[in-house]
Amino acid sequence: MSILKDKHILLGVTGSIAAYKAADLASKLTQAGAQVDVILTTAAEKFVTPLTFQSVTGRRAYTDSDLWGGEAHVLHVGLGHSTDLLVIAPCTADTMAKLAHGLADNLLTVTALAATCPLVIAPAMDGGMFDAPATQANLATLIERGATIVGPAEGHLASGLLGKGRMSEPAEVLGRIRMALGKKEKLADKKIVVTAGGTQEPLDPVRVLTNHSSGKQGYALAQAALDLGADVCLISTPTALTVPVGARLVPVRTAEEMKNAVLAECADADALVMAAAVADFRPKHVAADKMKKRDGIPQIELEAAPDILKAVAGFRLALSEAEGSKKRPRVVLGFAAESRDLLDNASEKLKSKNLDLIVANDISTVDAGFGAETNRVTLLFADGRKESLPLMDKSEVAEVILRTVATLLE
Ligand code: C5P
């Protein structure tokens, strides 16, 4: 989670019952390495206390009483200026109205007015208030000025009504904060296609040939691309993982489906990161009905599955419009998961698949490769350069890889 490491985040909490969710958000931000300062409005203090936030952030939480203290004249300017991002979650209709109109009658709104950093707002309000013309007009003003609005979600509201007004979940708000920070990063405005998971090749309606890929490295790569500001398309087989906030998921199962999705998405992509464990072989015939034990042990004939990377990396950079779907992204990256002769196999694949970069992945130890939280990889470049990375978390490996992709795209 290095995008948040040492970032200075200012969290504004306003008077909504959803204020309890803000404590979770403060905790998540802190765990991700951010320095979180909190400002509570007077109404927020009715729901939660400064101590709640100080306990999870280890830093001071400010209230309106600080507005009238000795340091007041510098506090609002200082807080607003030293911060990388201001997030107001939950944000009431009242605070949204104040922000839209430039009112500055409490520590939070005075700080927001002085701040020049990105602003993320997670509205929370009761039935009808969000749809009210005044709130919608304020929302439009804030969006027009560049604020990121997260939610609100539909569901049960505190009043018992069903409707739009619930504050989005902290994980969603956190994801949108990461995206807002990423807008200044190297992959902003770039489209990155990431594949993840192990393909499933059907034998009959109930059985598949698959592999041990967990999708963890691919999902971490998608998150790293989002953190660097990219528009991310994640083409994935079913996994137990949560899709990173902001990634567009294209669900697939077979190598054939993955190939079609990759070719379609590559038409306007800047880079393809092919982390999926794609089948090399698949059953030649798929039984229409479940194969029965009473019919004896089946003989399964295999055929080659499509080699997606070979197809994409073989395309020329710019083809005619008619061949628009056969475009090679500027950077094409593959993975080589090997249990022996790692670098030889990887560099052979780098050449045969015409790649810009291959990530050689030693799967012979339990702390790397399939299912592990960590990975040990070597990056091999088309120009012969080689970079070995130590054992790292898959998220750290992902960050190094995506920063390398960004450099190759420069
Ligand atoms: O051919 P091999 O499986 O050894 O190469 C691994 C790399 O090629 C991975 O990046 C994988 O996603 C990709 N691949 C592919 N199509 C296949 C098999 C692998 O694109 N049928």
Side-chain angles (χ1 to χ4, degrees):
M1 277 223 177
S2 70
I3 185 87
L4 283 161
K5 181 113 182 54
D6 299 328
K7 285 278 171 13
H8 190 174
I9 308 288
L10 190 56
L11 167 62
V13 184
T14 70
S16 152
I17 177 59
Y20 74 92
K21 292 187 183 175
D24 187 16
L25 178 62
S27 167
K28 286 185 159 65
L29 286 164
T30 306
Q31 285 173 43
Q35 297 180 354
V36 186
D37 285 322
V38 178
I39 302 178
L40 292 96
T41 62
T42 302
E45 283 188 82
K46 305 269 183 210
F47 294 97
V48 282
T49 70
L51 184 63
T52 312
F53 292 95
Q54 279 162 201
S55 307
V56 294
T57 63
R59 294 169 68 87
R60 246 196 88 191
Y62 299 89
T63 65
D64 271 349
S65 61
D66 297 300
L67 188 58
W68 308 110
E71 336 157 44
H73 57 293
V74 283
L75 184 61
H76 63 277
V77 178
L79 280 175
H81 277 189
S82 62
T83 195
D84 292 298
L85 182 139
L86 169 61
V87 50
I88 305 183
C91 187
T92 57
D94 179 60
T95 296
M96 273 176 61
K98 287 176 179 166
L99 295 171
H101 293 278
L103 298 186
D105 63 349
N106 61 34
L107 182 60
L108 176 60
T109 49
V110 112
T111 306
L113 198 58
T116 52
C117 61
L119 173 64
V120 174
I121 295 172
M125 57 203 70
D126 217 321
M129 292 171 79
F130 186 72
D131 293 325
T135 307
Q136 287 298 311
N138 293 333
L139 188 72
T141 301
L142 293 167
I143 292 171
E144 212 247 327
R145 284 189 207 138
T148 297
I149 311 292
V150 192
E154 301 254 358
H156 282 279
L157 303 171
S159 59
L161 292 172
L162 266 181
K164 202 168 184 188
R166 280 172 70 89
M167 184 184 130
S168 294
E169 291 310 312
E172 171 83 18
V173 182
L174 181 76
R176 298 291 295 274
I177 290 172
R178 295 176 78 138
M179 287 173 76
L181 290 170
K183 281 186 185 153
K184 282 192 259 164
E185 297 286 337
K186 282 175 150 189
L187 290 177
D189 303 324
K190 298 279 187 292
K191 176 177 172 183
I192 310 289
V193 177
V194 179
T195 65
T199 58
Q200 302 178 357
E201 306 299 330
L203 282 161
D204 70 9
V206 297
R207 301 179 179 94
V208 294
L209 277 186
T210 186
N211 57 65
H212 287 306
S213 171
S214 63
K216 282 180 192 162
Q217 187 62 76
Y219 278 55
L221 287 157
Q223 180 65 69
L226 287 162
D227 283 349
L228 290 178
D231 168 17
V232 177
C233 170
L234 175 61
I235 301 173
S236 177
T237 61
T239 71
L241 306 168
T242 307
V243 176
V245 173
R248 183 165 52 84
L249 176 75
V250 178
V252 296
R253 284 183 187 274
T254 63
E256 188 69 33
E257 287 172 11
M258 187 171 276
K259 184 186 97 181
N260 293 336
V262 167
L263 293 190
E265 294 294 340
C266 278
D268 60 351
D270 295 282
L272 168 65
V273 178
M274 197 72 204
V278 186
D280 291 325
F281 325 105
R282 64 183 176 192
K284 190 164 184 184
H285 305 287
V286 182
D289 295 308
K290 183 180 173 189
M291 293 189 267
K292 304 302 276 181
K293 214 176 348 184
R294 64 165 179 259
D295 296 333
I297 296 176
Q299 294 299 309
I300 298 166
E301 194 184 344
L302 299 176
E303 65 175 7
D307 192 317
I308 304 170
L309 265 183
K310 220 171 220 171
V312 174
F315 296 143
R316 281 167 290 143
L317 259 178
L319 288 166
S320 69
E321 206 135 285
E323 287 182 294
S325 67
K326 289 186 171 183
K327 191 175 151 269
R328 183 197 198 282
R330 275 202 288 142
V331 173
V332 180
L333 183 158
F335 270 71
E338 304 287 345
S339 54
R340 55 186 289 191
D341 301 329
L342 177 65
L343 296 186
D344 288 347
N345 281 321
S347 72
E348 191 277 317
K349 270 177 211 173
L350 177 76
K351 290 191 192 87
S352 70
K353 298 193 185 213
N354 185 28
L355 306 175
D356 301 287
L357 176 63
I358 193 153
V359 181
N361 194 176
D362 182 354
I363 54 165
S364 65
T365 58
V366 288
D367 56 5
F370 294 137
E373 296 300 330
T374 47
N375 218 351
R376 189 181 290 105
V377 304
T378 300
L379 311 185
L380 303 180
F381 296 82
D383 63 9
R385 271 182 304 138
K386 195 163 74 174
E387 191 182 331
S388 290
L389 303 180
L391 186 72
M392 289 175 164
D393 271 2
K394 284 186 171 170
S395 60
E396 292 170 327
V397 171
E399 194 192 330
V400 175
I401 293 172
L402 264 298
R403 287 199 182 277
T404 307
V405 169
T407 309
L408 290 175
L409 281 173
E410 265 167 11

